[in-house]
Amino acid sequence: MSERRRQDPEAAAAAATPEPGAADGRVRVVIEGVSPSVDGGRFAAKRVIGDRVDVEADCFTDGHDAIAAVVLWRREEETEWREAPMRFLNNDRWRGSFVVDALGRYRYTVAAWVDHFLSWHHDLTRRVDPEDIRIAALVGAELIEGAAKRAQERASGADAKRLAGWAARLRAGGDAAVLKAIGLDEELYAVATRHPDRALALVHRTEFPLVVDPERARFSAWYELFPRSTSPTPGAHGTFRDVEARLPYVAELGFDVLYFPPIHPIGREKRKGRNNSLSPTADDVGSPWAIGAAEGGHKALHPQLGTLEDFRRLVARAREFGIEIALDIAFQCAPDHPYVEQHPEWFRWRPDGTVQYAENPPKKYQDIYPFNFESEGWQALWEELADVFEFWMAEGVRIFRVDNPHTKPFAFWEWAIARLKRKNPAAIFLAEAFTRPKVMHRLAKLGYTQSYTYFAWRNTKWELTEYFTELAKGPGREYFRPNVWPNTPDILTEYLQFGGRPAFMARLVLAATLAASYGIYGPAFELLEARPRDPGGEEYLDSEKYQIRAWDLEREDSLRELVARVNKVRRENPALRSDWSLRFFPVDNENIICYAKATPDLENVVVTVVNVDPYHTQTGWVELDLAALGVDERSPYQMHELLTGARYLWHGARNFVSLDVTRSPAQIFRLRRKVRTERDFDYFL
Amino acid sequence: MSERRRQDPEAAAAAATPEPGAADGRVRVVIEGVSPSVDGGRFAAKRVIGDRVDVEADCFTDGHDAIAAVVLWRREEETEWREAPMRFLNNDRWRGSFVVDALGRYRYTVAAWVDHFLSWHHDLTRRVDPEDIRIAALVGAELIEGAAKRAQERASGADAKRLAGWAARLRAGGDAAVLKAIGLDEELYAVATRHPDRALALVHRTEFPLVVDPERARFSAWYELFPRSTSPTPGAHGTFRDVEARLPYVAELGFDVLYFPPIHPIGREKRKGRNNSLSPTADDVGSPWAIGAAEGGHKALHPQLGTLEDFRRLVARAREFGIEIALDIAFQCAPDHPYVEQHPEWFRWRPDGTVQYAENPPKKYQDIYPFNFESEGWQALWEELADVFEFWMAEGVRIFRVDNPHTKPFAFWEWAIARLKRKNPAAIFLAEAFTRPKVMHRLAKLGYTQSYTYFAWRNTKWELTEYFTELAKGPGREYFRPNVWPNTPDILTEYLQFGGRPAFMARLVLAATLAASYGIYGPAFELLEARPRDPGGEEYLDSEKYQIRAWDLEREDSLRELVARVNKVRRENPALRSDWSLRFFPVDNENIICYAKATPDLENVVVTVVNVDPYHTQTGWVELDLAALGVDERSPYQMHELLTGARYLWHGARNFVSLDVTRSPAQIFRLRRKVRTERDFDYFL
């Protein structure tokens, strides 16, 4: 190999054979298989503020000695570790926990040691020979004197004194039964184990990273709209003021993230017309993703939307409604983006002296110039792109949806997101990477807070079950937080094109209950927009990507009430705020899917059933796992349907459901257990 | 945390957040998930000489650029890497291979790079616009000139010249179709890809270790006997000379490792009598595991067995029979072991001034002193214990069975085995650790060549299927090489106690065909010894552990012929030389187990069926996976039963078997496919 060796921050073990003889060979404990662990500690696991972090490890030693183990943890900027005890589970597995109460980065690891006091104590419980016990008492006295010394050193004078007392009584000898009783004194155990001998403790070498995000990183409801389509005057260009007027509507629908496609000046060179036409007319508004023009680039606003002052006002007003504004960051340039002239070194140039536009031969995207991340000027480019985020963060934006992050280097994102989250650990980055699974996972590992998913194309019961089981239970759940969308401006699935109103209803309920984070592209979604540009394609006809649309929000057939109701159910049921508890149940009908989410204490259990066939009413028997849901199988339980308010009494695991596509293809039940009975009345929790 | 931080060679990632901005940000490729990988490269994967090592990794980059990847590998003592190309499998997975042709330690890793020539070539195949093609020709010329320059630098003058020629023709311009044809010239592709631009290549940071052992590490048949029980005179103490006389018998049985319990002087203090009695008589010979007496310790021979000269002669004679002598190394001392006086610091002392014997309260083993590995003198102790192995290696011993390795520190074994295998990479260490799974796996990871298993207690079809599937297919197979024993001097299972001859036959065939390495404790095994000392226990009555036994090898009911036949089948069928190909097939009878092993090319396929019920004849329909075994389901195939020589024609997947416990509860078939038919004769491979 002749090329220069690159740093691969990737990886793992040391290059040389470890030579344990070089260290202290008396360290006999082993720590293996720490979890959570993302690529052996190369990447951070993710949690949200307030979470209890359960750390597990295999800890063991040779022979029969007892061991003890602790989790060590600290915020990354702290130097002192805090500790939490680990307890033995089974099969050499130990677990300890701590609660994360601050945003930002943490570190954790595991320490363990052979504990001779514990071994002595364990053996003493089983000793019967009096002479044995007398000798053991002396051995124990020595161990306890050691603990007393350590207590003294740590200024636990009271403990030291008590320990010395026990040691003296053990040294005094006498009746074996008395000595055994002294040795097994529960208070001695409690005090001595506070001062263990950790001289030969092992600390696992990896300091595993952990990122703690705000709760919205895990539980969020997104609403995407095109600001330019919000004018009350049909055909007029909408403004930030118009969006401000739309805030009560978005709040009524119950969303807490309002997300815009790019809001920057739109390029004029090679501008695309309606329906992606290559021959635009003078009044065509262009695609917001063709970023940059004479008025500026990624740090400027499209003049027709309003001023920076208007934008700031909108961000502030939205926050009053509990809504965060999210921006779409698309790192690409229209040909007239100022960067092209200011930084020609950031682009790839063709031998004919033109800039290399985006292409996927034979397709050409001449209105889009990608950055050349192999440029000699890559460092300045990285700085500038990070600065784009910082600019909008300074304007109050905390949530960013990133367009096609998988077409920019992974190393850039890892660097940029780490830097930005150091400045604002509440920042949320959503990766819009509809690509191969390992690429999507890499982006999530390296720092993206949330990730788009394949949800839009998972429509059958089998597909949904497989996919969401992987998301909720697979190893990727430590870092990959799904954000699921039934539609986007780029994705109008055939399921929605052909399924009509029941399809929209079913997909809404599936998205909102299968995933703690979901979003819709509106008002297209609630207004059931389903006309494709081309048969077999997923583009919208008259897509807002290329033109202004006027939407009649007051239409009779709007799903706005259902959307509002579903989001209310999400807010009121903590079970729906996270994904890991998801559990599917059998139904004897391949068109009905049934699943539950529950809080760890089972206080809040939500069972959802959805008819995934948008064409026919479906009925079937669902079979709940009552034990897993905390239900006594001998008692009836109440299923409170939260969309209609209806209440049903169910008995046993198997119950009948009927999902009428002409009314509602989905039901969301809060499961209520009977807590007491007085005469003829049942009270349900 | 106040204690001093211990080195944990364990682990993985760096302590600090990787800051990719510090490296060259233009390196865009990613390498993840390299396999084989034992704990992220902390431990070595294992292979035997002649193996092809398949290395896989996920390699990908951002965007749509093509990449290339290679496996880098070298022997550990070499500094220069060798390379093997990797090819794309699917889902971003790549694989490359190399063959290991030397014993000892290797390293391997993966390198990958974005390859602009490959991207250019791929795009060119799809370009149609003539102007596009003309510009692409110029871009390609530049890339090819780069390749020419690299060829020149590596003294590939001929390649450089040819590349320059292609570049010149592309630069010359002209007809687009002609330019495209030049660019897609297959020879250009072949030459240019020999000189890729690896300036921005990534080399995975982990240099994964690999240990290459002799074939016997994977494929071995062990025979354990007590040398003192080999005298032709009943009751007399056997000698190495007697063992020498036994060699033809062992060779006839077909074993290639002859393994002895400890052959050192046996302690006299606290000696145990027959059947583990605490009141021995003067003529009791003691347990060979009570090591050490006035005559010496672990480097001495028990005088009654013979001299060092006798031992050397035995080792040499055995080798003439293709048999290696294996020693049992048990690191513990009888009270009169010379170490106790010479190195009191290596033992734990009780307050009453006596040495702490082994105990598991309330049980005491006063004839055994364990070493104290937490001794201040641990370094000298490690050196001395390693020296015990070296002493016997100098006497020609290459194979060691280690007694209870899990009661000595893991770090010691890792250090000692690495040191010993550096001196003799052909050395084989078998870990006798019948303990918890993670402890057994740790010993295998840190260097043990082979490991005892739970086989003796896996008797039902379900147990065997689960366990051997885990051994053959689980991640542990990279380092855990099973050596399975139906019996040992410590283990006489209830299955053998009650199952009689059919049980011994079934267990022999299972051991020999399920695992490439197996062993029996003889002559107890072939002579069907099945009397337990205590009901419900697994100890033998009149165990050789405490007394001399006389065995009548010529007994009519001996299984020696079956053993010889089974070992012959193993030698003649390469499918049985390794474990990974194991595959179980359904049988409609829970008492019949059916499985196959095959060579990778399917030239040698062995199907075994065993009746695991030793009491009744069982019949059933087995259902082979013919496609996996390379059999055309429309043709008959021959099942050549190798124990009896019988040949059967089978048709299709389902066939009937009958296993008569009064004759043979097991059949081992070589599957022979029809290779040609001439008139009425079928020829089978």
Side-chain angles (χ1 to χ4, degrees):
Chain A
M1 289 251 337
S2 57
E3 74 261 24
R4 181 152 69 85
R5 196 41 103 72
R6 301 292 159 193
Q7 277 291 349
D8 182 0
E10 203 74 18
T17 312
E19 193 59 279
D24 190 328
R26 297 174 303 165
V27 175
R28 292 165 45 211
V29 77
V30 162
I31 304 169
E32 288 189 338
V34 177
S35 74
S37 163
V38 181
D39 290 10
R42 164 69 178 86
F43 297 105
K46 292 179 188 145
R47 295 293 186 273
V48 304
I49 195 159
D51 274 352
R52 190 187 74 191
V53 181
D54 288 334
V55 176
E56 292 188 6
D58 297 329
C59 304
F60 50 90
T61 187
D62 59 274
H64 305 290
D65 276 324
I67 63 167
V70 290
V71 175
L72 303 177
W73 59 283
R74 59 177 172 85
R75 299 188 58 190
E76 201 165 84
E77 60 272 27
E78 297 169 345
T79 51
E80 283 292 303
W81 292 102
R82 279 173 274 185
E83 286 191 8
M86 297 183 89
R87 64 187 180 78
F88 177 73
L89 299 175
N90 58 40
N91 192 20
D92 292 311
R93 195 88 182 140
W94 295 66
R95 181 191 293 155
S97 308
F98 59 95
V99 171
V100 284
D101 54 8
L103 294 178
R105 292 181 73 92
Y106 283 69
R107 295 276 175 172
Y108 59 90
T109 191
V110 170
W113 59 93
V114 171
D115 193 309
H116 291 295
F117 174 80
L118 294 179
S119 300
W120 172 82
H121 186 271
H122 174 75
D123 285 351
L124 185 61
T125 60
R126 301 187 301 166
R127 290 192 190 278
V128 288
D129 176 346
E131 185 51 27
D132 249 21
I133 291 171
R134 271 186 284 273
I135 288 174
L138 295 174
V139 172
E142 194 173 329
L143 292 169
I144 294 162
E145 282 155 6
K149 185 153 170 275
R150 289 186 294 277
Q152 193 68 54
E153 284 162 7
R154 301 154 115 202
S156 298
D159 283 0
K161 200 166 162 185
R162 297 186 70 194
L163 290 165
W166 277 300
R169 290 170 65 198
L170 289 170
R171 282 212 182 279
D175 181 68
V178 172
L179 290 171
K180 183 166 174 174
I182 295 167
L184 297 181
D185 184 334
E186 285 179 17
E187 285 198 55
L188 163 59
Y189 185 90
V191 179
T193 53
R194 280 205 289 272
H195 306 286
D197 181 359
R198 291 166 65 166
L200 296 177
L202 178 72
V203 181
H204 194 283
R205 189 173 80 175
T206 306
E207 298 184 356
F208 294 88
L210 178 76
V211 164
V212 177
D213 290 311
E215 200 204 1
R216 208 172 302 219
R218 180 159 73 203
F219 176 62
S220 56
W222 292 50
Y223 188 78
E224 174 174 8
L225 64 69
F226 282 78
R228 69 187 179 189
S229 292
T230 56
S231 169
T233 311
H237 197 290
T239 65
F240 292 132
R241 292 289 178 141
D242 294 327
V243 177
E244 220 178 294
R246 182 69 62 85
L247 288 173
Y249 173 84
V250 177
E252 170 206 312
L253 262 56
F255 291 100
D256 55 15
V257 179
L258 175 58
Y259 143 54
F260 306 144
I263 53 176
H264 314 302
I266 295 171
R268 289 177 186 85
E269 279 185 45
K270 309 272 180 187
R271 177 177 284 189
K272 298 280 180 74
R274 289 165 180 245
N275 287 308
N276 204 23
S277 152
L278 293 174
S279 46
T281 61
D283 60 341
D284 266 325
V285 289
S287 160
W289 286 274
I291 295 171
E295 298 87 348
H298 286 75
K299 296 177 189 167
L301 288 171
H302 187 60
Q304 286 181 279
L305 289 171
T307 64
L308 201 51
E309 194 46 54
D310 294 335
F311 179 74
R312 283 180 196 142
R313 203 180 116 121
L314 171 60
V315 170
R317 287 283 293 145
R319 205 157 279 155
E320 288 168 21
F321 284 94
I323 294 170
E324 290 284 321
I325 298 297
L327 291 190
D328 188 356
I329 301 295
F331 283 140
Q332 57 192 23
C333 299
D336 37 340
H337 193 297
Y339 285 155
V340 180
E341 235 173 59
Q342 292 162 11
H343 292 284
E345 74 279 11
W346 291 350
F347 300 88
R348 205 176 281 282
W349 291 78
R350 309 205 306 172
D352 66 350
T354 62
V355 175
Q356 178 65 61
Y357 46 79
E359 59 171 356
N360 186 13
K363 287 194 216 161
K364 307 177 181 189
Y365 308 94
Q366 286 157 310
D367 58 332
I368 300 293
Y369 289 177
F371 290 108
N372 173 18
F373 282 90
E374 290 182 356
S375 161
E376 292 289 334
W378 65 272
Q379 277 154 314
L381 174 62
W382 283 25
E383 293 283 342
E384 173 63 18
L385 298 183
D387 206 49
V388 168
F389 286 100
E390 289 193 33
F391 178 88
W392 295 108
M393 283 165 76
E395 298 302 338
V397 178
R398 297 171 187 159
I399 306 185
F400 300 93
R401 177 266 200 192
V402 175
D403 188 78
N404 283 325
H406 57 294
T407 60
K408 290 91 195 173
F410 300 100
F412 164 69
W413 291 122
E414 187 170 16
W415 169 86
I417 293 173
R419 168 166 149 159
L420 296 166
K421 292 208 54 138
R422 268 198 302 277
K423 299 205 174 175
N424 186 355
I428 290 172
F429 299 87
L430 166 62
E432 187 248 10
F434 290 112
T435 181
R436 309 187 306 281
K438 286 171 185 168
V439 175
M440 291 169 66
H441 275 255
R442 178 79 182 189
L443 291 164
K445 284 188 215 170
L446 63 78
Y448 273 93
T449 325
Q450 298 186 345
S451 304
Y452 278 62
T453 70
Y454 304 137
F455 170 69
W457 305 282
R458 298 294 180 269
N459 292 294
T460 66
K461 173 162 131 177
W462 185 84
E463 288 169 344
L464 288 163
T465 305
E466 289 291 304
Y467 189 49
F468 280 89
T469 298
E470 178 198 322
L471 290 172
K473 307 293 182 193
R477 74 179 194 172
E478 295 290 351
Y479 56 85
F480 188 99
R481 291 201 190 102
N483 187 334
V484 311
W485 294 67
N487 75 331
T488 79
D490 300 310
I491 304 169
L492 171 63
T493 62
E494 293 201 323
Y495 188 87
L496 294 180
Q497 289 175 35
F498 296 109
R501 184 179 183 84
F504 280 79
M505 294 173 75
R507 297 299 290 175
L508 173 75
V509 171
L510 288 167
T513 56
L514 280 170
S517 286
Y518 89 109
I520 60 172
Y521 152 52
F525 188 86
E526 66 265 30
L527 295 180
L528 309 167
E529 182 75 12
R531 295 168 306 143
R533 193 176 75 202
D534 315 300
E538 294 196 331
E539 290 284 345
Y540 283 90
L541 180 66
D542 300 333
S543 168
E544 288 185 282
K545 293 199 289 186
Y546 309 104
Q547 69 189 73
I548 293 167
R549 288 285 299 271
W551 300 100
D552 177 6
L553 303 181
E554 306 302 327
R555 255 168 50 193
E556 279 278 318
D557 62 344
S558 170
L559 290 177
R560 63 193 279 184
E561 279 182 27
L562 177 65
V563 174
R565 175 71 70 151
V566 165
N567 280 330
K568 185 160 179 286
V569 167
R570 281 167 50 90
R571 282 194 307 276
E572 290 175 353
N573 287 277
L576 298 177
R577 289 179 177 248
S578 62
D579 287 326
W580 292 8
S581 69
L582 183 66
R583 178 188 291 267
F584 291 90
F585 301 112
V587 188
D588 62 354
N589 178 335
E590 275 311 288
N591 283 305
I592 298 179
I593 188 168
C594 174
Y595 49 89
K597 284 184 168 179
T599 52
D601 58 7
L602 300 180
E603 280 297 292
N604 185 251
V605 176
V606 175
V607 177
T608 305
V609 290
V610 181
N611 173 3
V612 297
D613 168 12
Y615 309 110
H616 309 99
T617 292
Q618 297 284 352
T619 64
W621 289 85
V622 304
E623 187 171 348
L624 303 183
D625 178 345
L626 294 182
L629 302 178
V631 175
D632 177 354
E633 64 177 19
R634 294 160 302 184
S635 302
Y637 50 100
Q638 198 188 78
M639 293 295 268
H640 179 191
E641 209 285 303
L642 302 170
L643 300 178
T644 59
R647 291 168 188 256
Y648 306 86
L649 270 194
W650 282 18
H651 301 261
R654 280 171 63 83
N655 289 276
F656 186 76
V657 293
S658 173
L659 296 159
D660 182 347
V661 287
T662 65
R663 296 167 60 212
S664 173
Q667 297 183 314
I668 309 176
F669 298 101
R670 165 125 193 232
L671 187 156
R672 295 174 185 276
R673 288 180 292 273
K674 189 154 61 170
V675 288
R676 60 194 167 95
T677 307
E678 283 169 16
R679 282 168 308 191
D680 296 334
F681 298 95
D682 287 344
Y683 293 80
F684 291 89
L685 179 71
Chain B
M1 289 251 335
S2 58
E3 74 262 25
R4 183 152 68 87
R5 196 42 103 75
R6 300 291 158 196
Q7 277 292 349
D8 182 1
E10 202 75 19
T17 311
E19 193 59 281
D24 191 328
R26 296 173 304 165
V27 175
R28 290 165 46 210
V29 78
V30 162
I31 304 169
E32 289 189 337
V34 176
S35 73
S37 162
V38 182
D39 291 10
R42 165 69 178 86
F43 298 104
K46 292 178 187 144
R47 294 293 186 274
V48 303
I49 196 159
D51 274 351
R52 191 188 74 191
V53 181
D54 288 333
V55 176
E56 292 188 7
D58 297 329
C59 304
F60 50 88
T61 187
D62 59 275
H64 306 290
D65 276 324
I67 64 168
V70 291
V71 175
L72 303 177
W73 57 283
R74 59 179 172 85
R75 298 189 58 190
E76 200 164 86
E77 60 272 27
E78 297 169 344
T79 51
E80 283 292 303
W81 292 101
R82 278 173 276 185
E83 286 191 7
M86 298 182 88
R87 64 185 181 80
F88 177 74
L89 299 175
N90 59 39
N91 192 20
D92 291 311
R93 196 87 181 143
W94 294 67
R95 181 191 293 156
S97 307
F98 58 96
V99 171
V100 284
D101 54 7
L103 295 177
R105 293 181 72 92
Y106 282 69
R107 295 276 174 173
Y108 59 88
T109 192
V110 170
W113 59 92
V114 171
D115 193 308
H116 290 295
F117 174 80
L118 293 179
S119 300
W120 172 82
H121 186 272
H122 174 75
D123 285 351
L124 185 61
T125 60
R126 300 188 301 165
R127 290 191 191 278
V128 288
D129 177 346
E131 185 50 27
D132 251 19
I133 292 171
R134 269 186 286 273
I135 290 174
L138 295 173
V139 172
E142 196 173 328
L143 293 169
I144 294 161
E145 282 155 6
K149 187 154 168 275
R150 288 185 295 275
Q152 193 69 53
E153 284 162 8
R154 301 155 116 202
S156 297
D159 282 0
K161 202 166 159 186
R162 295 187 71 196
L163 289 165
W166 276 300
R169 290 170 65 199
L170 287 170
R171 281 211 183 281
D175 180 67
V178 172
L179 289 171
K180 182 167 174 173
I182 296 167
L184 298 181
D185 184 334
E186 284 177 19
E187 286 198 53
L188 163 59
Y189 185 90
V191 179
T193 53
R194 280 206 288 271
H195 305 286
D197 180 0
R198 290 167 65 167
L200 297 176
L202 178 73
V203 181
H204 194 284
R205 188 173 82 175
T206 307
E207 297 183 358
F208 294 88
L210 178 76
V211 164
V212 177
D213 291 312
E215 201 204 2
R216 209 173 300 219
R218 180 159 73 202
F219 176 62
S220 56
W222 292 50
Y223 187 78
E224 174 174 8
L225 64 71
F226 282 76
R228 68 186 180 192
S229 292
T230 56
S231 170
T233 313
H237 198 291
T239 65
F240 292 133
R241 291 288 178 143
D242 295 326
V243 177
E244 221 178 295
R246 183 70 60 88
L247 287 173
Y249 173 84
V250 177
E252 171 206 312
L253 263 55
F255 293 99
D256 56 14
V257 180
L258 175 58
Y259 143 55
F260 306 144
I263 52 176
H264 315 302
I266 295 172
R268 290 179 185 83
E269 278 186 45
K270 309 270 180 190
R271 178 177 284 190
K272 299 280 179 74
R274 290 168 179 242
N275 287 309
N276 202 23
S277 151
L278 293 174
S279 45
T281 61
D283 61 339
D284 266 323
V285 289
S287 160
W289 286 274
I291 295 171
E295 298 86 351
H298 286 75
K299 295 176 191 168
L301 288 172
H302 187 60
Q304 287 182 276
L305 289 172
T307 64
L308 201 51
E309 195 45 56
D310 294 334
F311 180 74
R312 283 180 198 142
R313 206 181 114 119
L314 171 60
V315 170
R317 286 283 293 147
R319 206 157 279 155
E320 288 167 22
F321 284 94
I323 294 171
E324 290 283 322
I325 299 297
L327 291 191
D328 188 358
I329 301 296
F331 282 142
Q332 56 193 22
C333 299
D336 38 341
H337 193 296
Y339 284 155
V340 180
E341 236 174 60
Q342 292 162 12
H343 292 285
E345 73 279 12
W346 290 349
F347 300 88
R348 206 176 280 283
W349 290 80
R350 309 206 305 172
D352 66 350
T354 62
V355 175
Q356 178 64 61
Y357 46 80
E359 59 171 357
N360 186 12
K363 286 191 215 161
K364 307 176 181 189
Y365 307 95
Q366 287 156 309
D367 58 332
I368 299 294
Y369 289 178
F371 290 108
N372 172 18
F373 282 90
E374 291 181 356
S375 161
E376 292 290 334
W378 65 272
Q379 277 154 314
L381 174 62
W382 284 25
E383 292 284 341
E384 173 62 18
L385 298 183
D387 206 48
V388 168
F389 287 100
E390 289 191 36
F391 178 88
W392 295 107
M393 284 166 74
E395 298 302 337
V397 179
R398 297 171 187 159
I399 306 185
F400 300 93
R401 177 265 201 196
V402 176
D403 188 79
N404 283 326
H406 57 293
T407 61
K408 289 91 195 173
F410 300 100
F412 163 69
W413 291 122
E414 186 170 15
W415 169 85
I417 293 173
R419 169 167 148 159
L420 296 165
K421 292 208 55 137
R422 267 198 303 275
K423 300 206 175 175
N424 186 356
I428 290 173
F429 299 87
L430 166 62
E432 187 247 11
F434 290 112
T435 181
R436 310 186 307 281
K438 285 170 186 168
V439 175
M440 292 169 66
H441 275 255
R442 179 79 182 189
L443 291 164
K445 284 187 216 172
L446 63 77
Y448 274 92
T449 325
Q450 297 186 347
S451 305
Y452 277 62
T453 69
Y454 304 137
F455 169 70
W457 306 282
R458 298 292 179 269
N459 292 294
T460 67
K461 172 161 133 177
W462 185 83
E463 287 168 345
L464 289 163
T465 304
E466 289 290 306
Y467 189 50
F468 280 89
T469 298
E470 178 198 321
L471 291 172
K473 307 293 182 193
R477 75 180 193 171
E478 295 291 352
Y479 55 86
F480 188 98
R481 291 201 191 100
N483 187 334
V484 312
W485 293 67
N487 74 331
T488 78
D490 300 309
I491 304 169
L492 171 64
T493 62
E494 294 202 322
Y495 189 87
L496 294 180
Q497 289 174 35
F498 297 108
R501 184 180 183 81
F504 280 79
M505 295 173 74
R507 297 300 290 175
L508 173 75
V509 172
L510 287 167
T513 56
L514 280 170
S517 285
Y518 88 109
I520 59 172
Y521 153 51
F525 188 86
E526 66 266 28
L527 295 181
L528 309 166
E529 181 75 12
R531 296 168 306 143
R533 192 176 75 203
D534 316 297
E538 294 196 333
E539 290 285 345
Y540 283 90
L541 180 67
D542 300 333
S543 168
E544 289 184 282
K545 292 198 290 186
Y546 309 104
Q547 68 189 72
I548 293 168
R549 288 286 299 271
W551 300 101
D552 176 5
L553 303 181
E554 306 303 327
R555 255 168 48 195
E556 279 277 318
D557 62 344
S558 170
L559 290 176
R560 64 193 278 185
E561 279 181 29
L562 177 65
V563 173
R565 177 69 70 149
V566 165
N567 281 330
K568 185 161 180 284
V569 167
R570 281 167 49 88
R571 282 195 307 278
E572 291 176 353
N573 287 276
L576 299 177
R577 290 179 176 248
S578 61
D579 288 326
W580 293 8
S581 70
L582 181 66
R583 179 187 291 266
F584 291 89
F585 301 113
V587 188
D588 62 355
N589 178 334
E590 273 312 287
N591 284 305
I592 299 179
I593 189 168
C594 174
Y595 49 88
K597 283 184 169 182
T599 51
D601 59 6
L602 300 180
E603 281 297 294
N604 185 250
V605 176
V606 175
V607 176
T608 305
V609 290
V610 181
N611 173 3
V612 298
D613 168 12
Y615 310 109
H616 307 100
T617 291
Q618 297 283 352
T619 63
W621 290 84
V622 304
E623 187 172 348
L624 303 183
D625 179 345
L626 295 182
L629 301 178
V631 175
D632 177 353
E633 64 177 21
R634 293 158 304 183
S635 302
Y637 52 99
Q638 198 188 78
M639 293 295 267
H640 179 192
E641 209 285 304
L642 302 170
L643 299 178
T644 59
R647 292 171 189 253
Y648 307 86
L649 268 194
W650 282 17
H651 300 261
R654 278 172 64 83
N655 289 275
F656 186 77
V657 294
S658 174
L659 297 159
D660 181 347
V661 286
T662 66
R663 295 166 62 211
S664 174
Q667 297 183 315
I668 309 176
F669 299 101
R670 166 125 193 234
L671 187 155
R672 296 176 186 274
R673 287 179 294 274
K674 190 153 62 171
V675 286
R676 60 195 168 93
T677 307
E678 282 169 16
R679 285 167 307 189
D680 296 333
F681 298 94
D682 287 344
Y683 292 80
F684 291 89
L685 180 70

